[in-house]
């Protein structure tokens, strides 16, 4: 089954509103969205919350995703952002479970599951991040960790819900370290994730679900990842912060 490719930039805690708007204007000037569509590639960015509304306004066809979202519609959850708040500014994509949130904010797969269920109920597209730490990798626990994250994170979802899910495999030991996983590792884990989706939701869902690789993805290595049969795109950090390198990423897919 032929699947589209997805290039998603995760800006993390970078780019002011002015810088984010300038990025969008550069993307427009370079006609990147049109080029991507002609090649069957979806492209988007996940700005900081404060820049979301402005980026959405200046997106020029880019997918715009939040970097997180709370499972409650409202309430006493200081610093959090809700689904209705995102809907009001026209955002219907969200990253959930990024390793930095798991590491620094104590997020668990169970918490991710509550968020994912709330999001898909509102027909949001979710990029759910999974991945093992260096210690878990060294101990040979990668697939055990991935299984727990996938099974728990997607618990209670239906086959129909899976149309809104994208899974991003990001080995924690490769994020921001310059040490990227080999294409063999990326393909092996992407294939394993697809087999888990097959177990949980059936073959059709497993063949339709996009699986991304993330972790020190750069213009000079993205192409080899995209050649792998089960890798459908990339979730990119640092290399997505400048329009020039984002353009190179797209060209090299």
């Amino acid at each position: 089954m032929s699947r589209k490719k997805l290039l998603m930039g995760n800006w993390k805690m970078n780019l002011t509103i002015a810088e984010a708007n300038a990025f969008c204007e550069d993307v427009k000037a370079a006609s990147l969205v049109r080029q991507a569509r002609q090649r069957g590639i979806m492209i988007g960015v996940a700005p900081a919350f404060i820049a979301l509304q402005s980026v959405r306004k200046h997106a020029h066809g880019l997918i715009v995703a939040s970097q997180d979202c709370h499972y409650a519609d409202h309430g006493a959850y200081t610093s959090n952002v809700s689904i209705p708040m995102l809907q009001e500014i026209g955002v219907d994509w969200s990253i959930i479970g990024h390793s930095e949130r798991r590491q620094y904010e104590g997020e668990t797969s169970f918490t991710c599951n509550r968020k994912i269920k709330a999001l898909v109920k509102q027909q949001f597209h979710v990029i759910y991040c999974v991945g093992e730490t260096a210690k878990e990798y060294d101990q040979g626990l990668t697939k055990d960790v991935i299984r727990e994250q996938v099974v728990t994170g997607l618990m209670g979802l239906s086959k129909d819900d899976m149309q809104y899910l994208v899974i991003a495999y990001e080995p924690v030991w490769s994020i921001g370290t310059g040490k990227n996983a080999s294409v063999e590792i990326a393909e092996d884990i992407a294939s394993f994730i697809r087999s888990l989706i097959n177990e949980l939701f059936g073959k059709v869902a497993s063949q339709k679900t996009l699986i991304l690789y993330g972790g020190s993805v750069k213009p000079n290595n993205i192409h080899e990842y995209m050649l792998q049969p089960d890798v459908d795109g990339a979730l990119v950090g640092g290399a997505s912060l400048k329009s020039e390198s984002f353009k190179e990423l797209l060209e090299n897919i």
Side-chain angles (χ1 to χ4, degrees):
M1 182 181 292
S2 178
R3 293 179 295 272
K4 281 190 173 185
K5 299 289 187 186
L6 171 60
L7 172 62
M8 178 63 68
N10 177 16
W11 289 352
K12 307 186 180 183
M13 198 174 69
N14 295 292
L15 301 191
T16 62
I17 293 172
E19 290 167 340
N21 289 348
F23 178 100
C24 292
E25 293 309 312
D26 288 347
V27 165
K28 179 186 179 184
S31 301
L32 294 193
V33 173
R34 180 175 55 80
Q35 291 177 41
R37 284 176 179 161
Q38 289 173 348
R39 296 171 57 194
I41 302 168
M42 300 181 290
I43 58 173
V45 292
F49 277 129
I50 198 168
L52 269 177
Q53 184 171 9
S54 188
V55 171
R56 183 71 185 83
K57 184 178 178 181
H58 296 89
H60 304 299
L62 285 170
I63 293 168
V64 181
S66 66
Q67 296 176 14
D68 184 44
C69 182
H70 203 276
Y71 51 78
D73 280 353
H74 62 273
Y77 301 103
T78 299
S79 88
N80 283 282
V81 171
S82 71
I83 293 171
M85 293 173 184
L86 295 176
Q87 288 173 320
E88 187 176 33
I89 59 171
V91 171
D92 60 1
W93 280 71
S94 182
I95 296 172
I96 294 295
H98 192 278
S99 64
E100 287 154 4
R101 287 200 54 81
R102 293 178 188 262
Q103 183 179 354
Y104 304 133
E105 311 296 337
E107 188 148 278
T108 66
S109 299
F110 181 74
T111 309
C112 292
N113 176 251
R114 294 186 73 177
K115 294 179 177 184
I116 292 169
K117 285 191 289 192
L119 285 159
V120 298
K121 189 176 181 181
Q122 296 299 322
Q123 299 182 336
F124 268 62
H125 295 273
V126 177
I127 300 174
Y128 177 47
C129 300
V130 299
E132 80 283 16
T133 64
K135 183 178 180 181
E136 290 163 342
Y137 174 76
D138 290 340
Q139 292 176 344
L141 298 174
T142 295
K143 290 186 178 178
D144 293 325
V145 171
I146 300 298
R147 177 180 285 276
E148 184 279 327
Q149 292 173 338
V150 170
V151 171
T152 304
L154 304 184
M155 180 174 57
L157 297 185
S158 68
K159 291 179 183 179
D160 290 341
D161 291 333
M162 287 304 293
Q163 66 185 297
Y164 301 110
L165 263 290
V166 174
I167 311 294
Y169 169 55
E170 292 201 309
V172 182
W173 47 269
S174 73
I175 299 173
T177 64
K179 179 183 177 184
N180 49 306
S182 68
V183 291
E184 291 81 11
I185 291 174
E187 169 59 20
D188 181 46
I189 301 304
S191 175
F192 176 66
I193 291 169
R194 203 172 298 286
S195 72
L196 290 175
I197 297 171
N198 184 32
E199 282 179 31
L200 296 168
F201 303 103
K203 185 174 182 180
V204 173
S206 73
Q207 290 304 308
K208 286 185 175 180
T209 301
L210 298 187
I211 299 175
L212 314 182
Y213 170 72
S216 296
V217 176
K218 297 178 174 60
N220 65 0
N221 65 24
I222 191 170
H223 182 66
E224 54 187 322
Y225 288 112
M226 296 308 102
L227 290 174
Q228 307 310 304
D230 289 296
V231 178
D232 304 309
L235 181 59
V236 185
S240 73
L241 294 176
K242 294 184 177 179
S243 57
E244 300 85 16
S245 57
F246 193 73
K247 180 181 179 182
E248 288 181 47
L249 286 164
L250 175 60
E251 290 171 346
N252 292 348
I253 287 180

